[in-house]
Amino acid sequence: KVIVKTLNDRIPHGVDPQQLGKKSELFYRQHKVLSELVHPQIPKVLHSFTTEQDGDTTFHSVQEWFDGPTLEEVVKQKGKLPVEEAVRMSLSLLEPLEYCHAQGVKHRDVKPKNVIISDKQAKLIDFGFVLDEESPEEGGSTMVGTLGYAAPEQLWGRATEQSDIYSVGATLLHMVTGKDCEEMLNHGGKTYEERFRVCYEEHVKDLDERLQEIFARSLDVDVAKRYGTVVEMRTDLEMMLVTSGA
């Protein structure tokens, strides 16, 4: 089975041909990168194409279809998950992410809706395509992500591998609380980073202190204080399971 994914970005009629050419080139370049990813928890990217309607250009990607509910649907149906189950699911989610980072690929939009539960594994779908070049001078790129799950620096257009780690932390938070992380944003914050900080502390105060520490190290708005790699986060999650006897 396959599914056709359509990018939200549509190039309007009348846009400068050179700009359209650059965006098309970037789209196909990213498609090539994703099509070279080979991992059982990542859908195969099989084909890409563009369509035109009323002069507007739209980009499409044909990908492998995974059977199963999304993590968002699972939590909506079951409510918050037991901590052990949530930790194991997070460890499963880190496997394809670790592979991607080793290939120099960032996902950019890890969230419960983009995780398919299939064969007791977390399958990672819907990589964030970007149709604007990254700016070497600014160190950034076009904003891709979802409020509550995207790290503050990512919303500013500066996605890194640690931005993906933040998103895994937010996804784990959703699993153990049953709450949408966007509802936990600190909209009253004075700085940009504080306004987009997930205020998780009150929601996890009764959970294992080791899990609270994992949230602190994955959801810190300061990238320098966050886990540096997926391996670091995985190690802490695995240690938590071992020491709890799970």
Side-chain angles (χ1 to χ4, degrees):
K1 292 182 179 180
V2 299
I3 185 171
V4 178
K5 298 285 186 177
T6 300
L7 273 66
N8 290 329
D9 291 327
R10 176 178 292 184
I11 310 303
H13 173 66
V15 74
D16 178 62
Q18 186 175 7
Q19 183 183 1
L20 175 60
K22 286 183 178 180
K23 289 181 181 292
S24 296
E25 179 186 356
L26 185 55
F27 170 73
Y28 286 112
R29 192 191 315 160
Q30 290 179 85
H31 169 266
K32 183 177 185 298
V33 170
L34 295 181
S35 68
E36 292 172 350
L37 297 178
V38 181
H39 192 282
Q41 291 165 255
I42 299 173
K44 297 181 179 67
V45 177
L46 306 170
H47 181 59
S48 61
F49 61 97
T50 60
T51 57
E52 288 192 12
Q53 183 176 2
D54 299 327
D56 295 348
T57 302
T58 304
F59 299 88
H60 310 272
S61 175
V62 181
Q63 303 179 13
E64 177 185 9
W65 167 268
F66 285 141
D67 285 315
T70 67
L71 180 56
E72 181 182 66
E73 291 169 337
V74 170
V75 174
K76 187 175 294 185
Q77 179 184 20
K78 298 172 62 174
K80 61 183 180 182
L81 304 182
V83 168
E84 180 187 341
E85 181 180 349
V87 169
R88 290 189 184 280
M89 194 58 65
S90 298
L91 285 169
S92 180
L93 177 58
L94 288 175
E95 291 179 26
L97 205 56
E98 181 179 353
Y99 168 79
C100 289
H101 289 180
Q103 314 306 311
V105 176
K106 300 182 288 287
H107 185 281
R108 302 175 186 265
D109 200 17
V110 178
K111 59 182 178 181
K113 188 176 181 179
N114 286 344
V115 178
I116 298 288
I117 308 303
S118 179
D119 301 324
K120 297 182 179 180
Q121 289 184 313
K123 307 289 183 76
L124 190 55
I125 64 171
D126 283 2
F127 284 69
F129 276 87
V130 178
L131 294 187
D132 284 302
E133 289 279 13
E134 292 191 353
S135 168
E137 294 77 18
E138 297 296 329
S141 64
T142 300
M143 191 280 281
V144 175
T146 301
L147 285 177
Y149 298 92
E153 76 275 0
Q154 183 173 335
L155 295 172
W156 193 246
R158 293 179 172 83
T160 68
E161 292 178 358
Q162 286 169 282
S163 305
D164 282 344
I165 292 172
Y166 181 102
S167 299
V168 174
T171 299
L172 173 58
L173 180 63
H174 175 70
M175 285 191 275
V176 299
T177 65
K179 298 181 182 297
D180 186 346
C181 290
E182 186 177 358
E183 298 174 4
M184 304 185 214
L185 291 179
N186 179 30
H187 294 296
K190 294 182 179 180
T191 66
Y192 175 85
E193 288 80 5
E194 281 298 316
R195 284 197 299 275
F196 290 100
R197 185 177 82 85
V198 173
C199 302
Y200 64 88
E201 294 86 352
E202 185 66 22
H203 301 281
V204 300
K205 62 181 182 181
D206 296 325
L207 297 180
D208 191 308
E209 290 185 1
R210 292 165 298 180
L211 184 59
Q212 294 183 45
E213 179 60 25
I214 289 170
F215 285 130
R217 292 200 61 198
S218 57
L219 293 174
D220 203 303
V221 296
D222 186 346
V223 179
K225 296 179 181 178
R226 208 177 297 158
Y227 286 114
T229 66
V230 165
V231 174
E232 291 178 12
M233 185 176 187
R234 185 189 69 204
T235 299
D236 278 359
L237 288 169
E238 289 176 337
M239 185 60 67
M240 181 180 168
L241 287 181
V242 170
T243 55
S244 66

